[in-house]
């Protein structure tokens, strides 16, 4: 019996540790040949010297388990290096079928204290990094589709965050980048559908180097799988990368601890029409002020609260 991803090739960025590592291992377990990308800097803020160690270690894990993998230690936030990453997958495996974007850093600060560099660096790694790899993968699939005169196989799984869904006071750069990734994904989904490519985005919650302080007060169980283990997230990524998910495109899913929640696009909660040619200040005051009066702060995120979503 063949594996779901047998004969397919994948790239996973930020795959040397945490979520990316778990996702790379899962794709390999399902039969994909994997390019394990990780820049290898030790600091979760992107500090320290780059190292090939994390990517090479995950490649060795995959090979030891009988899978196929090669390392790539470039910076996906660099346009040229992202192009080299996609070319490496094509050269090694003949084509690229799956792109999982996961690489990221944190530089948390309240908006009134954040520096320009703290803003730019997080937007660069998360949002530009997602764009760079997507751009080159998309061009690869478009060229293949045009040459074949038919749709090809392509899957993109991007990584957003509950910080975008429910807000995160100390992470304006991170929340903005993650919101941008959702917009990038839905735009990409529309643009590439005719070539046979799907693009979806997940909001994972997991205990990793990136979230160590977020979940500092939540101990894992003494026995059994930690509800916040990255292993809870990886199966969804494997599924979205598979042929079984061909009908899922442009979707946002929250995943953690054995739960998957499918989020709807924003819906109109209330609608007001002017009784005049256009609204006046007084008319808006008479309509909107009572509508919001007495509502608890943050009630607009009621759906997120029902799911128990918070910063992640």
């Amino acid at each position: 019996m063949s594996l779901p991803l047998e004969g397919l090739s994948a790239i996973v960025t930020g795959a040397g540790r945490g979520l990316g590592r778990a996702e790379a291992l899962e794709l390999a377990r399902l039969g994909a040949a994997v390019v394990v990308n990780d820049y290898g800097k030790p600091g979760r803020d992107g500090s320290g010297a780059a190292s090939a160690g994390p990517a090479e270690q995950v490649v060795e894990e995959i090979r030891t388990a009988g899978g196929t993998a090669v390392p790539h230690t470039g910076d996906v936030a660099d346009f040229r290096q992202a192009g080299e990453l996609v070319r490496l997958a094509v050269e090694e495996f003949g084509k690229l079928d799956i792109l999982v974007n996961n690489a990221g850093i944190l530089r948390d600060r309240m908006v009134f204290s954040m520096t320009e560099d703290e803003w730019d660096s997080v937007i660069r790694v998360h949002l530009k990094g997602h764009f760079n790899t997507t751009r080159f993968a998309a061009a690869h699939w478009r060229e293949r589709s045009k040459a074949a005169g038919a749709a090809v196989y392509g899957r993109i799984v991007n990584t957003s965050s509950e910080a975008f869904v429910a807000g995160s006071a100390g992470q304006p750069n991170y929340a903005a980048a993650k919101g941008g990734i959702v917009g990038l994904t839905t735009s990409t989904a529309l643009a590439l559908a005719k070539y046979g490519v799907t693009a979806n985005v997940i909001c994972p919650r997991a205990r990793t180097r990136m979230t160590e302080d977020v979940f500092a007060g939540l101990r894992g169980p003494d026995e059994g799988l930690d509800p916040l283990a990255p292993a809870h997230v990886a199966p969804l990524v494997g599924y979205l990368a598979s042929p079984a998910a061909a009908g899922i495109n442009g979707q946002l899913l929250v995943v953690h601890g054995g739960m998957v929640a499918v989020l709807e696009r924003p819906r109109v909660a209330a609608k007001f029409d002017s009784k005049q040619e256009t609204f006046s200040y007084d008319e808006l005051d008479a309509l909107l002020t009572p509508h919001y009066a007495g509502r608890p702060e943050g009630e607009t995120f009621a759906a997120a609260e029902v799911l128990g979503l918070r910063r992640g």
Side-chain angles (χ1 to χ4, degrees):
M1 182 177 178
S2 63
L3 296 169
L5 303 183
E6 190 172 327
L8 302 178
S9 64
I11 289 171
V12 183
T13 72
R17 306 176 176 93
L19 279 170
R21 171 183 171 274
E23 293 162 355
L25 293 174
E26 177 68 3
L27 294 183
R29 188 188 72 80
L30 294 175
V34 183
V35 179
V36 176
N37 163 265
D38 200 284
Y39 200 24
K41 290 193 172 184
R44 67 175 189 169
D45 62 351
S47 62
S51 169
E56 290 177 347
Q57 183 175 342
V58 176
V59 166
E60 185 58 32
E61 287 185 73
I62 291 172
R63 290 175 177 172
T64 299
T68 302
V70 295
H72 179 271
T73 57
D75 177 10
V76 294
D78 180 281
F79 192 73
R80 178 185 60 81
Q81 293 181 58
E84 291 173 354
L85 170 59
V86 173
R87 283 192 292 275
L88 174 63
V90 175
E91 290 168 2
E92 287 286 332
F93 306 128
K95 59 184 171 51
L96 173 65
D97 302 295
I98 300 159
L99 171 63
V100 179
N101 284 308
N102 181 71
I105 64 171
L106 289 179
R107 293 196 179 177
D108 294 354
R109 191 89 62 186
M110 298 298 285
V111 68
F112 41 76
S113 302
M114 181 162 286
T115 67
E116 182 180 15
D117 180 65
E118 288 167 340
W119 174 269
D120 288 347
S121 60
V122 169
I123 297 295
R124 176 183 180 272
V125 175
H126 286 274
L127 186 52
K128 187 183 178 188
H130 273 61
F131 160 73
N132 286 345
T133 55
T134 296
R135 186 264 182 225
F136 288 104
H140 168 70
W141 288 319
R142 179 174 179 266
E143 289 167 7
R144 281 177 52 201
S145 177
K146 291 178 71 174
V152 297
Y153 189 100
R155 299 284 188 270
I156 298 173
V157 182
N158 287 334
T159 306
S160 184
S161 168
E162 296 170 52
F164 153 71
V165 177
S168 184
Q171 298 181 302
N173 48 3
Y174 181 73
K178 291 305 189 182
I181 287 168
V182 174
L184 170 65
T185 305
T186 54
S187 175
T188 301
L190 291 173
L192 300 187
K194 65 182 179 180
Y195 302 116
V197 179
T198 67
N200 295 288
V201 58
I202 64 170
C203 293
R205 185 191 299 183
R207 195 190 306 275
T208 68
R209 182 179 57 143
M210 292 272 286
T211 60
E212 57 188 8
D213 57 342
V214 177
F215 301 125
L218 298 174
R219 275 190 58 198
D222 295 329
E223 297 182 4
L225 186 62
D226 183 352
L228 293 171
H232 289 294
V233 176
L236 176 62
V237 173
Y239 168 73
L240 291 173
S242 77
I248 304 174
N249 195 27
Q251 299 300 301
L252 172 61
L253 302 97
V254 176
V255 55
H256 60 82
M259 183 213 76
V260 173
V262 180
L263 299 194
E264 293 183 329
R265 293 174 186 263
R267 294 185 297 169
V268 175
K271 181 175 177 290
F272 304 96
D273 296 308
S274 175
K275 295 180 180 179
Q276 309 166 83
E277 185 177 3
T278 188
F279 279 111
S280 67
Y281 170 88
D282 289 337
E283 189 179 14
L284 289 169
D285 181 30
L287 292 170
L288 295 179
T289 301
H291 177 72
Y292 286 104
R295 293 192 173 202
E297 182 180 356
E299 190 183 46
T300 51
F301 298 116
E305 295 298 333
V306 168
L307 291 171
L309 309 183
R310 263 295 153 214
R311 172 183 164 191

